[in-house]
């Protein structure tokens, strides 16, 4: 019996004596395992470099994401450029500006810093001990990251000594949420940081960017703030501005907003009742509502904040089979508030929001909202290609060639090398009874690129936007015999194109139709689903 007990005791010790791999909880609820390229347990937390579900690399610390996804890089570039724009021009001149970046440098962020011109850049991060390994992966196919990496302790000393003109802190985002949609990858909330008592020396400007989903509505802000919305109006971040900043809003600089008074945060019971994917939307709406209440007499700031509050309050859970645009709700109160706040000067943040609205309304084919809300802003602040294109497509769908041609000509003036746009504008100028202008644009489109084999053979899939076909029709409407020659050659290749037959007969060529072909070949019965 004694020998048996000894053997049993020794057997229980075997698993503790043998080496064993560590098992880390890397999003265990995701349908496919996430395999990090780098996994480092640091005193600051578990650091990983891992491919996200769509293949892009993400850096996380304790499952909080530290780098932007590809769809967020445009908004991330805005945050860096706008931080730079708030620095007084005298301190940006001559390439002498001293800048500290706090966060994880990426190739996209490195490109933005390079576009700012000459400056003295340093960078740091709490995970400094693993920074070299992280950057070796992120910059494997790119030039080395710019600037000099320094430890956080040294960066703090240099900030206190006033050795920087600008300090930019990148935002962090919450953990990966359970899989719900193949169209949208969702990220949860990140705990709100402590903001009270933050300060910088007199000649230092600091812009600390925070995810608006962090529950900031109850926090006291020691300075003013700026807003940055994502390119699809699905996200929102707020920049805490400390120190001397340029006050005047401009097309390349955001408007400084009063943070308003802290609101009462949600109760713990309310938090327990709220789904994880609803918390970010609720936090964004609450913060925007707080900023709207603190806007005072600034009509531009109030309209911007009220619009964002109404927009995020209107968001609901959507079908996982909907497209990205279909999963974002459009609220009339939000559009009305945005329009009320669209007063000169229109700052960089407001311009980005209007461009996101143009994309969203065009993707959802909300043509009435485009003409009611986007068109007045495009007329007031245009030419504005992002808005002009959405307005042009709305008038195309209404079957109004004259209006569509007006907006398309504005677009062509801004993008004279865009072959697709030249073709579209030529088509609608012909429909508007202006075949001469249509021929001019279509010839330019053919000069930029020769006709494709599909266009030469008049394939059915290319027929609506076949440059040769459109050119021949508009020449025929002018009575030019070259048009009949072009159309006769096309009809020989494709005898089934019966629409060309009237152009080859006796008498004047028929007028162009004003009907509209929905995007993607949808018929009018599918209009509401586009």
């Amino acid at each position: 019996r004694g020998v048996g007990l000894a053997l049993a005791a020794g057997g229980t010790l075997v698993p503790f004596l043998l080496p064993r791999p560590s098992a880390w909880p890397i999003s265990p609820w995701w349908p496919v395992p996430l395999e990090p390229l780098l996994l480092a347990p640091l005193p600051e937390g578990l650091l990983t470099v891992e491919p996200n579900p769509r293949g892009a690399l993400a850096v996380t610390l304790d499952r909080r994401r530290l780098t932007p996804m590809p769809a967020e890089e445009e908004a991330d570039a805005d945050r860096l450029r706008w931080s730079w724009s708030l620095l007084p021009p005298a301190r940006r001149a001559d390439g002498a500006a001293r800048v500290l970046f706090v966060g994880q440098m990426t190739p996209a962020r490195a490109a933005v810093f390079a576009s700012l011109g000459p400056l003295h850049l340093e960078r740091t991060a709490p995970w400094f001990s693993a920074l070299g390994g992280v950057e070796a992966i992120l910059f494997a196919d790119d030039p080395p990251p710019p600037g000099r990496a320094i430890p956080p302790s040294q960066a703090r000393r240099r900030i206190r000594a006033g050795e920087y003109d600008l300090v930019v802190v990148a935002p962090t985002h919450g953990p990966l949420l359970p899989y719900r949609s193949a169209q949208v990858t969702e990220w949860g909330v990140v705990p709100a940081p402590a903001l009270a008592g933050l300060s910088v020396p007199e000649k230092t400007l600091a812009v600390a960017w925070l995810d608006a989903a962090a529950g900031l509505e109850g926090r006291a802000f020691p300075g003013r703030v700026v807003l940055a919305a994502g390119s699809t109006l699905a996200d929102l971040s707020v920049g805490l501005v400390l120190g001397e900043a340029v006050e005047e809003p401009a097309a390349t600089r955001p408007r400084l907003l009063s943070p308003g008074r802290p609101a009462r945060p949600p109760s713990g019971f309310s938090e327990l009742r709220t789904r994880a994917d609803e918390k970010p939307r609720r936090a964004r709406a609450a913060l925007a509502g707080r900023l709207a209440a603190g806007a005072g007499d600034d009509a531009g700031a109030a309209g911007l904040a009220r619009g964002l509050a109404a927009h995020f309050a209107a968001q609901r859970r959507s079908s996982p089979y909907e497209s990205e645009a279909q999963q974002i709700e459009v609220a009339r109160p939000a559009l009305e508030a945005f329009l009320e706040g669209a007063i000169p000067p229109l700052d960089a943040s407001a311009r980005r929001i209007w461009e996101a609205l143009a994309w969203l309304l065009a993707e959802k084919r909300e043509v009435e909202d485009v003409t009611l809300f986007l068109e007045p802003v495009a007329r007031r602040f245009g030419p504005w290609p992002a808005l002009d294109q959405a307005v042009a497509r709305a008038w195309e769908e209404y079957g109004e060639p004259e209006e569509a041609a007006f907006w398309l000509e504005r677009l062509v003036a801004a993008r004279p090398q865009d072959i697709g746009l030249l073709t579209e504008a030529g088509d609608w100028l012909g429909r508007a009874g202006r075949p001469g202008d249509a021929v001019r644009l279509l010839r330019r489109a053919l000069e930029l690129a020769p006709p494709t084999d599909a266009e030469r053979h008049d394939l059915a899939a290319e027929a609506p936007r076949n440059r040769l076909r459109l050119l021949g029709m508009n020449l025929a409407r002018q009575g030019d015999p070259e048009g009949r020659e072009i159309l006769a050659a096309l009809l020989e290749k494709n005898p089934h194109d019966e629409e060309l037959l009237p152009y080859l007969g006796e008498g004047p060529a028929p007028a162009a139709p004003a009907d509209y072909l929905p995007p993607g070949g949808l018929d009018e019965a599918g209009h509401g689903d586009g």
Side-chain angles (χ1 to χ4, degrees):
R1 183 180 297 178
V3 172
L5 290 174
L7 291 174
T12 59
L13 294 176
V14 170
F16 296 96
L17 298 175
L18 295 177
R20 60 189 185 279
S22 299
W24 300 98
I26 308 297
S27 301
W29 52 81
W30 203 258
V32 295
L34 298 178
E35 299 180 359
L37 303 178
L38 174 69
L39 190 148
L42 306 177
E44 295 79 17
L46 181 65
L47 182 78
T48 69
V49 180
E50 61 192 57
N52 89 313
R54 296 192 176 186
L57 294 181
V59 182
T60 72
L61 182 65
D62 270 354
R63 308 312 298 146
R64 300 172 190 173
R65 182 164 55 89
L66 308 173
T67 54
M69 293 290 97
E72 301 168 341
E73 285 181 347
E74 183 179 5
D76 191 68
D78 285 340
R79 289 190 287 261
L80 297 178
R81 292 194 185 99
W82 294 351
S83 301
W84 176 254
S85 72
L86 293 171
L87 189 65
R91 290 155 64 187
R92 281 186 272 148
D94 303 326
R98 301 160 300 173
V99 179
L100 174 68
F101 174 69
V102 182
Q104 179 59 59
M105 186 66 70
T106 65
R109 287 171 170 171
V112 176
F113 277 111
S115 71
L116 300 179
L119 51 85
H120 298 287
L121 176 65
E122 292 182 340
R123 49 193 171 82
T124 190
W127 53 96
F128 177 78
S129 59
L131 206 56
V134 173
E135 291 176 348
I137 297 173
L138 297 183
F139 289 85
D141 301 322
D142 294 277
R148 183 169 68 99
I150 62 174
S153 57
Q154 182 180 350
R156 284 192 290 267
R157 288 195 301 270
R158 300 195 65 175
I159 291 174
R160 287 194 295 266
E163 297 183 19
Y164 294 113
D165 296 296
L166 175 64
V167 178
V168 182
V169 183
T172 60
H173 306 275
L176 188 64
L177 291 180
Y179 180 89
R180 212 175 46 80
S181 170
Q183 305 294 332
V184 179
T185 301
E186 293 192 274
W187 305 86
V189 298
V190 60
L195 302 176
L198 293 179
S199 63
V200 293
E202 181 180 355
K203 293 186 177 181
T204 299
L205 170 66
V207 185
W209 289 97
L210 309 168
D211 188 350
L216 302 172
E217 69 275 10
R219 297 288 183 170
F221 287 87
R224 290 168 296 177
V225 298
V226 291
L227 291 175
S231 58
T232 62
L233 277 187
D235 302 303
L236 181 67
S237 55
V238 57
L240 172 61
V241 181
L242 302 172
E244 180 186 357
V246 179
E247 297 281 347
E248 298 79 14
T252 57
R253 186 167 50 245
R255 183 188 300 269
L256 290 170
L257 307 177
S258 168
R261 294 183 177 180
R264 177 178 297 178
S267 66
F269 184 68
S270 174
E271 286 287 294
L272 289 174
R273 293 179 56 192
T274 306
R275 288 171 52 107
D277 58 340
E278 291 179 346
K279 291 180 180 180
R281 295 193 289 269
R282 188 182 68 177
R284 294 178 187 119
L287 177 62
R290 167 186 168 175
L291 297 178
D297 297 332
D298 189 338
L304 188 72
R306 283 192 294 106
L308 289 171
H311 171 76
F312 286 111
Q315 302 311 303
R316 299 291 184 269
R317 291 196 302 274
S318 302
S319 166
Y321 304 105
E322 291 182 335
S323 69
E324 184 176 7
Q326 289 170 334
Q327 294 193 38
I328 303 174
E329 308 297 333
V330 175
R332 275 292 179 92
L335 297 175
E336 292 166 355
F338 285 137
L339 186 59
E340 291 175 6
I343 57 177
L346 201 63
D347 67 286
S349 180
R351 291 182 69 87
R352 277 289 186 249
I353 288 173
W354 279 107
E355 290 173 359
L357 285 171
W359 171 84
L360 181 60
L361 294 175
E363 285 290 311
K364 295 173 76 71
R365 296 178 65 195
E366 299 285 355
V367 294
E368 182 179 0
D369 287 341
V370 169
T371 54
L372 286 177
F373 299 101
L374 280 186
E375 185 173 352
V377 178
R379 288 187 182 276
R380 188 182 309 171
F381 298 99
W384 193 343
L387 272 64
D388 292 353
Q389 182 164 335
V391 176
R393 299 282 166 80
W395 284 114
E396 287 179 12
E397 189 157 357
Y398 274 132
E400 296 288 344
E402 294 84 1
E403 286 289 340
F406 168 78
W407 293 99
L408 288 169
E409 283 188 295
R410 283 197 1 172
L411 267 173
V412 166
R415 288 154 43 185
Q417 306 299 314
D418 189 326
I419 296 174
L421 180 57
L422 289 167
T423 307
E424 181 181 0
D427 182 12
W428 282 90
L429 283 167
R431 296 170 189 246
R434 297 166 56 187
D437 293 327
V439 167
R440 174 175 52 83
L441 296 186
L442 291 167
R443 287 196 188 279
R444 190 194 307 173
L446 287 166
E447 290 171 0
L448 291 172
T452 65
D453 289 340
E455 287 177 315
R456 290 193 184 95
H457 290 80
D458 193 23
L459 298 183
E462 295 288 336
R465 284 289 188 268
N466 184 333
R467 293 171 293 168
L468 284 176
R469 190 173 186 272
L470 291 172
L471 178 62
M473 287 178 168
N474 283 286
L475 285 170
R477 293 182 190 119
Q478 290 181 291
D480 191 325
E482 182 189 357
R484 294 175 182 268
E485 295 174 6
I486 293 173
L487 297 180
L490 292 177
L491 192 61
E492 184 179 352
K493 296 288 186 181
N494 181 11
H496 301 288
D497 193 351
E498 297 180 356
E499 189 180 354
L500 301 183
L501 294 175
Y503 291 87
L504 304 178
E506 298 295 330
D515 57 343
Y516 172 72
L517 180 66
L522 293 176
D523 56 22
E524 289 304 318
H527 180 181
D529 301 324

Coordinates of all heavy atoms in Angstrom, one line a residue, residues 253-302:
R253 N -8.5 72.1 -41.2 CA -8.3 72.1 -39.8 C -9.7 71.9 -39.1 O -10.7 72.6 -39.5 CB -7.7 73.4 -39.4 CG -7.3 73.5 -37.9 CD -6.4 74.7 -37.6 NE -6.9 76.0 -38.2 CZ -6.3 76.6 -39.1 NH1 -5.1 76.2 -39.7 NH2 -6.8 77.8 -39.6
P254 N -9.8 71.1 -38.0 CA -11.0 70.9 -37.4 C -11.4 72.1 -36.5 O -10.6 72.9 -36.1 CB -10.8 69.6 -36.6 CG -9.3 69.7 -36.3 CD -8.7 70.3 -37.4
R255 N -12.7 72.1 -36.1 CA -13.2 73.1 -35.2 C -13.0 72.7 -33.8 O -13.2 71.6 -33.4 CB -14.7 73.3 -35.5 CG -15.4 74.4 -34.7 CD -16.9 74.3 -34.9 NE -17.3 74.5 -36.2 CZ -17.5 75.6 -36.8 NH1 -17.5 76.7 -36.1 NH2 -17.9 75.7 -38.1
L256 N -12.5 73.6 -33.0 CA -12.3 73.4 -31.5 C -13.7 73.5 -30.8 O -14.4 74.5 -31.0 CB -11.3 74.4 -30.9 CG -9.9 74.2 -31.3 CD1 -9.0 75.4 -30.9 CD2 -9.3 72.9 -30.8
L257 N -14.0 72.5 -30.1 CA -15.3 72.5 -29.4 C -15.1 72.5 -27.9 O -14.2 72.0 -27.3 CB -16.1 71.2 -29.7 CG -16.2 70.8 -31.2 CD1 -16.9 69.5 -31.4 CD2 -17.0 71.9 -31.9
S258 N -16.1 73.1 -27.2 CA -16.2 73.0 -25.8 C -16.6 71.6 -25.3 O -17.6 71.1 -25.9 CB -17.1 74.1 -25.2 OG -17.4 73.8 -23.8
P259 N -16.0 71.0 -24.4 CA -16.3 69.7 -24.0 C -17.7 69.6 -23.2 O -18.2 68.5 -23.1 CB -15.2 69.2 -23.1 CG -14.6 70.5 -22.5 CD -14.8 71.5 -23.6
G260 N -18.2 70.7 -22.8 CA -19.4 70.7 -22.0 C -19.3 70.1 -20.6 O -18.2 69.7 -20.2
R261 N -20.4 69.9 -20.0 CA -20.3 69.4 -18.6 C -20.5 67.9 -18.6 O -21.2 67.3 -19.5 CB -21.5 70.0 -17.8 CG -21.3 71.4 -17.5 CD -22.5 71.9 -16.6 NE -22.3 73.3 -16.3 CZ -23.2 74.0 -15.5 NH1 -24.2 73.4 -15.0 NH2 -23.0 75.3 -15.2
P262 N -19.8 67.2 -17.7 CA -19.9 65.7 -17.7 C -21.3 65.3 -17.4 O -22.0 65.9 -16.6 CB -19.0 65.3 -16.5 CG -18.0 66.5 -16.4 CD -18.8 67.7 -16.8
A263 N -21.7 64.3 -18.1 CA -23.1 63.7 -17.9 C -23.0 62.6 -17.0 O -22.0 62.0 -16.6 CB -23.7 63.3 -19.3
R264 N -24.2 62.2 -16.5 CA -24.2 61.0 -15.6 C -24.0 59.8 -16.3 O -24.7 59.5 -17.3 CB -25.6 61.0 -14.9 CG -25.7 59.8 -13.9 CD -27.1 59.8 -13.2 NE -27.2 61.0 -12.3 CZ -28.3 61.3 -11.6 NH1 -29.3 60.4 -11.7 NH2 -28.3 62.3 -10.8
P265 N -23.0 59.0 -16.0 CA -22.7 57.7 -16.7 C -23.8 56.7 -16.4 O -24.6 56.8 -15.4 CB -21.4 57.3 -16.1 CG -21.3 57.9 -14.8 CD -22.0 59.2 -14.9
P266 N -24.0 55.7 -17.3 CA -25.0 54.7 -17.1 C -24.8 53.9 -15.9 O -23.6 53.7 -15.4 CB -24.9 53.9 -18.4 CG -23.6 54.1 -18.9 CD -23.2 55.5 -18.6
S267 N -25.8 53.4 -15.3 CA -25.7 52.6 -14.0 C -25.1 51.3 -14.4 O -25.1 50.8 -15.5 CB -27.1 52.5 -13.4 OG -27.9 51.7 -14.2
G268 N -24.6 50.6 -13.3 CA -24.1 49.3 -13.5 C -25.1 48.3 -14.0 O -24.8 47.4 -14.8
F269 N -26.4 48.4 -13.5 CA -27.4 47.5 -13.9 C -27.7 47.7 -15.4 O -28.0 46.8 -16.1 CB -28.7 47.8 -13.1 CG -29.8 46.9 -13.4 CD1 -29.7 45.5 -13.0 CD2 -31.0 47.3 -14.0 CE1 -30.8 44.7 -13.3 CE2 -32.0 46.5 -14.3 CZ -31.9 45.1 -13.9
S270 N -27.7 49.0 -15.8 CA -27.9 49.3 -17.2 C -26.8 48.7 -18.1 O -27.1 48.2 -19.2 CB -28.0 50.8 -17.5 OG -28.1 51.1 -18.8
E271 N -25.6 48.8 -17.6 CA -24.5 48.2 -18.3 C -24.7 46.7 -18.5 O -24.4 46.1 -19.5 CB -23.2 48.5 -17.6 CG -22.7 49.9 -17.8 CD -22.2 50.2 -19.1 OE1 -21.1 49.6 -19.5 OE2 -22.8 51.0 -19.9
L272 N -25.1 46.0 -17.4 CA -25.3 44.6 -17.5 C -26.4 44.2 -18.5 O -26.3 43.1 -19.1 CB -25.6 44.0 -16.1 CG -24.5 44.0 -15.1 CD1 -25.0 43.6 -13.7 CD2 -23.4 43.1 -15.5
R273 N -27.4 45.0 -18.6 CA -28.5 44.7 -19.5 C -28.2 45.0 -21.0 O -29.0 44.7 -21.9 CB -29.7 45.5 -19.1 CG -30.3 45.1 -17.8 CD -31.5 46.0 -17.5 NE -32.5 45.9 -18.5 CZ -33.6 46.8 -18.6 NH1 -33.7 47.7 -17.7 NH2 -34.5 46.6 -19.6
T274 N -27.1 45.7 -21.3 CA -26.8 46.1 -22.6 C -25.9 45.1 -23.3 O -24.9 44.7 -22.7 CB -26.1 47.5 -22.6 OG1 -26.9 48.4 -21.9 CG2 -25.9 48.1 -24.0
R275 N -26.2 44.8 -24.5 CA -25.4 43.9 -25.3 C -24.0 44.5 -25.6 O -23.9 45.7 -25.7 CB -26.1 43.5 -26.6 CG -27.3 42.6 -26.5 CD -28.0 42.5 -27.8 NE -27.1 42.2 -28.9 CZ -27.1 41.0 -29.5 NH1 -27.9 40.0 -29.1 NH2 -26.3 40.7 -30.5
A276 N -23.0 43.7 -25.8 CA -21.7 44.2 -26.0 C -21.6 45.0 -27.3 O -20.9 46.0 -27.3 CB -20.7 43.0 -26.1
D277 N -22.3 44.6 -28.3 CA -22.2 45.3 -29.6 C -23.1 46.6 -29.6 O -23.0 47.5 -30.5 CB -22.7 44.5 -30.8 CG -24.1 43.9 -30.6 OD1 -24.6 43.9 -29.5 OD2 -24.7 43.5 -31.6
E278 N -23.9 46.8 -28.6 CA -24.7 48.1 -28.5 C -24.0 49.1 -27.6 O -24.3 50.3 -27.8 CB -26.0 47.8 -27.8 CG -27.0 47.0 -28.7 CD -28.3 46.7 -28.0 OE1 -28.4 46.9 -26.8 OE2 -29.2 46.2 -28.7
K279 N -23.0 48.7 -26.8 CA -22.4 49.7 -25.9 C -21.6 50.8 -26.7 O -21.6 51.9 -26.3 CB -21.4 49.0 -24.9 CG -22.2 48.1 -23.9 CD -21.2 47.4 -23.0 CE -22.0 46.6 -21.9 NZ -21.1 45.9 -21.0
P280 N -20.8 50.4 -27.7 CA -20.1 51.5 -28.5 C -21.0 52.5 -29.1 O -20.8 53.7 -29.0 CB -19.3 50.7 -29.6 CG -19.2 49.3 -29.0 CD -20.5 49.1 -28.2
R281 N -22.1 52.1 -29.7 CA -23.1 53.1 -30.3 C -23.7 54.0 -29.2 O -23.8 55.2 -29.4 CB -24.1 52.3 -31.0 CG -23.6 51.5 -32.2 CD -24.8 51.1 -33.1 NE -25.6 50.0 -32.5 CZ -25.3 48.7 -32.6 NH1 -24.3 48.3 -33.3 NH2 -26.1 47.8 -32.0
R282 N -24.0 53.4 -28.1 CA -24.6 54.2 -27.0 C -23.6 55.2 -26.5 O -24.0 56.4 -26.2 CB -25.1 53.3 -25.9 CG -25.9 54.0 -24.8 CD -26.4 53.1 -23.7 NE -25.2 52.7 -22.9 CZ -25.3 51.9 -21.8 NH1 -26.5 51.4 -21.5 NH2 -24.2 51.5 -21.2
A283 N -22.4 54.8 -26.3 CA -21.3 55.7 -25.8 C -21.1 56.8 -26.7 O -20.9 58.0 -26.3 CB -20.1 54.9 -25.5
R284 N -21.0 56.6 -28.0 CA -20.8 57.6 -29.0 C -22.0 58.6 -29.0 O -21.8 59.8 -29.1 CB -20.7 57.0 -30.4 CG -19.4 56.1 -30.6 CD -19.3 55.5 -32.0 NE -18.2 54.6 -32.0 CZ -18.4 53.3 -32.3 NH1 -19.6 52.8 -32.6 NH2 -17.3 52.5 -32.4
A285 N -23.2 58.1 -29.0 CA -24.3 59.0 -28.9 C -24.3 59.9 -27.7 O -24.7 61.1 -27.7 CB -25.6 58.2 -29.0
A286 N -24.0 59.3 -26.5 CA -24.0 60.1 -25.3 C -22.9 61.2 -25.3 O -23.2 62.3 -24.9 CB -23.8 59.1 -24.1
L287 N -21.7 60.9 -25.8 CA -20.7 61.9 -25.9 C -21.1 63.0 -26.9 O -20.9 64.2 -26.6 CB -19.4 61.3 -26.3 CG -18.2 62.2 -26.5 CD1 -17.9 62.9 -25.2 CD2 -17.0 61.5 -27.1
A288 N -21.6 62.7 -28.0 CA -22.1 63.7 -29.0 C -23.2 64.6 -28.4 O -23.2 65.8 -28.6 CB -22.5 63.0 -30.3
G289 N -24.1 64.0 -27.6 CA -25.1 64.8 -27.0 C -24.6 65.7 -25.9 O -25.0 66.9 -25.8
R290 N -23.5 65.3 -25.2 CA -22.9 66.2 -24.3 C -22.2 67.4 -25.0 O -22.3 68.5 -24.5 CB -21.9 65.4 -23.5 CG -20.9 66.3 -22.7 CD -19.8 65.4 -22.0 NE -18.7 66.3 -21.5 CZ -17.7 65.8 -20.8 NH1 -17.6 64.5 -20.5 NH2 -16.8 66.6 -20.3
L291 N -21.6 67.1 -26.1 CA -20.9 68.2 -26.8 C -21.9 69.1 -27.4 O -21.7 70.3 -27.5 CB -20.0 67.6 -27.9 CG -18.9 66.7 -27.5 CD1 -18.1 66.2 -28.7 CD2 -17.9 67.5 -26.6
A292 N -23.1 68.6 -27.9 CA -24.1 69.5 -28.4 C -24.7 70.4 -27.3 O -24.9 71.6 -27.5 CB -25.3 68.7 -29.0
A293 N -24.8 69.9 -26.1 CA -25.3 70.7 -25.0 C -24.3 71.8 -24.6 O -24.7 72.9 -24.1 CB -25.6 69.8 -23.8
G294 N -23.0 71.5 -24.8 CA -22.0 72.5 -24.4 C -21.6 73.4 -25.6 O -20.7 74.3 -25.4
A295 N -22.3 73.4 -26.7 CA -21.8 74.2 -27.9 C -22.2 75.6 -27.7 O -21.5 76.5 -28.3 CB -22.5 73.6 -29.1
G296 N -23.2 76.0 -26.9 CA -23.6 77.4 -26.7 C -24.1 78.0 -28.0 O -24.9 77.5 -28.7
D297 N -23.5 79.2 -28.3 CA -23.9 80.0 -29.5 C -23.3 79.6 -30.8 O -23.5 80.2 -31.8 CB -23.7 81.5 -29.3 CG -24.5 82.0 -28.1 OD1 -25.6 81.4 -27.8 OD2 -24.0 83.0 -27.4
D298 N -22.4 78.6 -30.7 CA -21.7 78.2 -31.9 C -22.6 77.2 -32.7 O -22.7 76.0 -32.5 CB -20.4 77.4 -31.6 CG -19.5 77.1 -32.8 OD1 -20.0 77.1 -33.9 OD2 -18.3 76.9 -32.5
A299 N -23.3 77.8 -33.8 CA -24.3 77.0 -34.5 C -23.6 75.9 -35.3 O -24.2 74.8 -35.4 CB -25.0 78.0 -35.5
G300 N -22.4 76.1 -35.8 CA -21.7 75.1 -36.5 C -21.4 73.9 -35.6 O -21.6 72.7 -36.0
A301 N -20.9 74.2 -34.4 CA -20.5 73.1 -33.5 C -21.8 72.4 -33.0 O -21.8 71.1 -32.9 CB -19.7 73.6 -32.3
A302 N -22.8 73.2 -32.7 CA -24.1 72.6 -32.2 C -24.7 71.6 -33.3 O -25.1 70.5 -32.9 CB -25.0 73.6 -31.8

